[in-house]
C-alpha cells in the first residue's frame, strides 16, 4: 500500500469523465487500498480515483473513520430531501463552501469483488456520495457553491 499524490484543482485529470471498470484485477485492488490509505492520511471522508490521477469510476468513502465503503461504477438510483451545509474537497485544499445536496440517496455499485451492492446514506454520507460521484464525471463542488469559497478552519474534506 502507498499514499498517492492528491491532484488539486487546475489539474486536467479532475475535469475528465472516468471510464467504467470492467474487471477488478490486482492492480485495481491495489488502487483501492491506496485510495483508502490516502484518504485516511489526508483526514478525508471520501476520495475518487481521478483525485489520484486515475480515470476509473471508483470512489471510497468513510464518514465515521471506521466504516469504509468502496464504490465501483456507482450510480444514484434514488434521492430525496435537501440539506444545505458546508462542503470541502481534498483537491481544493483549505477551502469550503455551502452546497445544497439531497438529504438521502441510494446508490447501486459494485464492491472490490465486483459484487453488486446497494448503499443508502443520509446527511453527511449522502453528501459524500453525491460529491464523490460528481468527481467521476469531471466535476468539483466549487461549481455548486452558493455563497463563494471561504477558508476552511477544519481539516475534514472530501
Ligand atoms: Ni472532492
Amino acid at each position: 500500500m502507498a499514499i498517492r499524490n492528491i491532484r488539486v484543482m487546475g489539474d486536467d485529470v479532475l475535469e475528465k469523465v472516468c471510464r467504467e471498470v470492467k474487471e477488478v484485477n490486482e492492480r485495481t485492488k491495489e488502487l483501492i487500498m491506496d485510495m483508502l490509505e490516502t484518504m485516511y492520511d489526508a483526514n478525508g471522508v471520501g476520495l475518487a480515483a481521478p483525485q489520484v490521477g486515475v480515470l476509473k469510476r471508483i470512489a471510497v468513502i468513510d464518514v465515521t473513520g471506521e466504516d469504509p465503503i468502496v464504490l465501483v461504477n456507482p450510480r444514484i438510483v434514488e434521492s430525496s430531501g435537501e440539506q444545505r451545509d458546508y462542503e470541502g474537497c481534498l483537491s481544493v485544499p483549505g477551502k469550503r463552501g455551502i452546497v445544497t445536496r439531497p438529504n438521502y440517496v441510494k446508490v447501486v455499485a459494485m464492491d472490490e469483488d465486483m459484487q453488486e451492492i446497494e448503499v443508502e446514506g443520509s446527511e453527511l454520507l449522502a453528501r459524500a456520495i453525491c460529491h464523490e460521484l460528481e468527481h467521476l464525471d469531471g466535476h468539483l463542488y466549487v461549481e455548486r457553491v452558493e455563497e463563494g469559497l471561504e477558508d476552511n478552519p477544519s481539516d475534514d474534506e472530501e
Side-chain angles (χ1 to χ4, degrees):
M1 297 211 298
I3 292 166
R4 301 203 185 189
N5 184 33
I6 298 177
R7 307 298 183 92
V8 296
M9 189 166 66
D11 191 318
D12 286 353
V13 80
L14 296 173
E15 295 169 14
K16 302 240 175 4
V17 176
C18 296
R19 293 180 298 273
E20 293 271 324
V21 176
K22 301 268 192 259
E23 60 153 353
V24 173
N25 53 29
E26 284 311 304
R27 221 174 137 206
T28 323
K29 287 194 174 175
E30 194 182 324
L31 167 68
I32 290 168
M33 296 306 288
D34 287 355
M35 285 173 63
L36 284 164
E37 195 178 355
T38 304
M39 174 183 75
Y40 290 128
D41 177 69
N43 291 315
V45 299
L47 189 74
Q51 292 183 275
V52 293
V54 179
L55 290 171
K56 288 183 175 166
R57 303 190 78 83
I58 300 173
V60 296
I61 294 173
D62 191 344
V63 296
T64 67
E66 46 196 35
D67 187 21
I69 299 169
V70 175
L71 299 173
V72 177
N73 299 337
R75 58 195 172 90
I76 291 172
V77 294
E78 238 183 273
S79 68
S80 65
E82 197 175 281
Q83 55 172 317
R84 194 167 177 276
D85 208 340
Y86 282 111
E87 198 162 310
C89 178
L90 293 172
S91 294
V92 190
K95 299 289 179 189
R96 67 175 187 177
I98 297 277
V99 180
T100 300
R101 298 284 191 188
N103 198 46
Y104 164 89
V105 296
K106 185 197 279 188
V107 62
V108 172
M110 313 295 259
D111 65 11
E112 63 271 42
D113 298 311
M114 287 302 262
Q115 300 297 306
E116 188 171 290
I117 53 167
E118 208 177 84
V119 178
E120 290 179 291
S122 57
E123 298 171 10
L124 180 57
L125 180 54
R127 176 176 295 281
I129 289 170
C130 294
H131 178 114
E132 299 316 326
L133 265 61
E134 286 182 358
H135 273 297
L136 305 182
D137 287 317
H139 294 291
L140 297 176
Y141 83 99
V142 297
E143 300 166 32
R144 291 179 173 273
V145 162
E146 287 155 34
E147 290 165 16
L149 281 182
E150 52 183 85
D151 290 337
N152 189 353
S154 84
D155 63 353
D156 293 333
E157 295 174 306
E158 294 154 57

